[in-house]
Amino acid sequence: MANLSRRAVLAGLAASLLPRATAAQPSSLGAIADARGVWFGSAIGEEIFADPAYAAAIARECRMVTIENAVKLGFIRPEPDRFTPEMADRLVLWAGEKHLAIRGHTLVWNDNNPDWLKRMSGREVARLMDAHIAETAGRYAGLIQSWDVVNEPFYPGFGLPGGYRDGPFFAAMGKDYIARAFHAARAADPIAKLTLNEAFTEEDTDLGRRVRAGLLGLVDDLLDAGVPLQGIGLQGHLKPHLPYDDQAFGKFLAALAERKLPILITELDVSDEGFSGDQAAVDRAVAARYRQFLTTCMAEPAVKGVITWQLSDRYSWYRGDWYKNAQRRDHIHRLRPARPLPLDDRLRPKAAWAAIAAAFEGRGL
Ligand code: XIL
């Protein structure tokens, strides 16, 4: 990035690290979370450049943003030799100008990869991983508060020993790809906190329990081996139609906290597909789940931040093409558009907004 731009972003990053009393409006979720000593933020993408009102809502409510897609392998590298960081650059600059801390998501993920990666040999995949981390994390070095270095290391459904997620990186290097990716990220960016991001851990299902156990073991192994792991991201795509056990999840948070790592809830939203009734009833049910879940999270001091996966229902990934395609594949038919986020289609705060605020303020259930 040009020096000038880098200065603008650095100024933003510096501001985001100062005592955080002035930047956001007093009534924003960012300010309310900050009073509790935690971050609040949202995933962002190119929609903020097409919708100034939404951009203003993000800037008002958030202290932190996650780059939703623009630095993922298939977006920033549509072909092996073509690096297209323009959108990521714009998002990083925008966030810097707004004094928002930035999370990079994600350097290595065994899912959602471009087809060209799947055609490479194991040796080529390993080389590509090192070069990709060096170039991507290196480009934004000093500008990123935390990097999800590895996303979703576990998915026991693949049947691999240890419950690891299969994919090009695992096939090429086995589970060692994880430690290697963290070392490469550290070499490329000495400043960013390096985090491991995982899905499903809040479910009280066989899947959730196995991923939790796998993750605790992996964290121990990485720390024992001196790998620069500095934080844990738990996605939190809550699905109220699946079993959930507050106590079990609270215990898991406490077990992670014993490892002395900060925890972020990185992709929070509440699926409303299992709720019936009119819109107000659905919104209330979504809000109740936010409040219950975040009350448990706030009871654990190691939880240092909460980031929702978008901020307004209008831009929820549950309304996006990726999800529509997945639903088509799985023959799922939705009767109404999803309402999983704190702001509605017209950017008005919903019951979920108040529920999130209440949890941050310690007004429990
Ligand atoms: C999703 C994005 O929101 C979609 O726009 C994209 O098409 C697919 O990926 N877990 C993750 C995120 O870690 O990267 C995913 O984001 C949602 C699930």
Side-chain angles (χ1 to χ4, degrees), residues 68-69 72 105 109 112 151-152 197 235 237 267 309-310 317 322:
E68 177 187 0
N69 286 317
K72 285 177 182 166
H105 171 84
W109 186 11
N112 269 35
N151 194 30
E152 301 185 346
N197 199 46
Q235 293 184 5
H237 291 292
E267 303 185 18
W309 209 237
Q310 300 83 41
W317 72 306
W322 185 87

Side-chain angles (χ1 to χ4, degrees), residues 91-342:
L91 291 166
V92 167
L93 266 177
W94 181 86
E97 282 164 15
K98 302 292 179 201
H99 296 190
L100 302 169
I102 305 165
R103 303 198 71 247
H105 171 84
T106 172
L107 292 168
V108 183
W109 186 11
N110 273 299
D111 197 14
N112 269 35
N113 279 308
D115 287 339
W116 58 255
L117 185 74
K118 299 169 196 161
R119 293 191 290 266
M120 283 184 163
S121 70
R123 188 181 295 214
E124 287 169 327
V125 168
R127 233 192 343 248
L128 177 283
M129 185 182 88
D130 293 343
H132 174 70
I133 293 174
E135 188 168 17
T136 308
R139 182 176 186 83
Y140 303 109
L143 307 178
I144 300 289
Q145 187 273 343
S146 52
W147 260 115
D148 285 335
V149 177
V150 172
N151 194 30
E152 301 185 346
F154 293 100
Y155 192 73
F158 282 107
L160 290 173
Y164 284 93
R165 181 180 289 273
D166 205 357
F169 300 103
F170 188 92
M173 293 164 268
K175 67 179 163 63
D176 292 348
Y177 83 92
I178 300 169
R180 179 165 166 166
F182 274 84
H183 286 298
R186 178 76 313 145
D189 181 345
I191 306 279
K193 303 282 183 216
L194 304 183
T195 58
L196 187 60
N197 199 46
E198 188 51 284
F200 308 117
T201 62
E202 63 287 330
E203 288 179 17
D204 199 49
T205 56
D206 185 51
L207 172 63
R209 282 187 286 269
R210 290 174 70 183
V211 172
R212 292 203 284 253
L215 190 61
L216 288 171
L218 174 60
V219 167
D220 287 342
D221 291 349
L222 294 174
L223 293 178
D224 283 350
V227 172
L229 168 67
Q230 298 170 301
I232 302 296
L234 305 176
Q235 293 184 5
H237 291 292
L238 305 188
K239 299 192 177 69
H241 52 283
L242 297 179
Y244 169 71
D245 178 340
D246 251 335
Q247 282 198 341
F249 186 64
K251 266 195 199 157
F252 170 65
L253 291 177
L256 271 179
E258 279 172 24
R259 273 77 178 173
K260 307 273 179 258
L261 291 174
I263 302 165
L264 296 173
I265 307 301
T266 49
E267 303 185 18
L268 184 61
D269 54 12
V270 178
S271 166
D272 62 350
E273 61 192 277
F275 295 138
S276 52
D278 63 15
Q279 185 169 297
V282 169
D283 283 357
R284 275 197 305 274
V286 166
R289 176 48 65 97
Y290 268 111
R291 190 158 174 175
Q292 177 189 17
F293 179 73
L294 287 179
T295 297
T296 302
C297 293
M298 289 299 104
E300 173 47 66
V303 175
K304 300 295 185 198
V306 175
I307 297 104
T308 54
W309 209 237
Q310 300 83 41
L311 192 63
S312 149
D313 292 334
R314 192 193 302 176
Y315 298 110
S316 169
W317 72 306
Y318 286 137
R319 294 192 186 187
D321 288 341
W322 185 87
Y323 214 79
K324 279 185 192 143
N325 291 337
Q327 288 181 327
R328 203 166 303 132
R329 191 192 54 221
D330 297 343
H331 306 287
I332 295 168
H333 302 285
R334 280 201 67 108
L335 297 176
R336 51 189 162 73
R339 295 176 64 82
L341 290 165

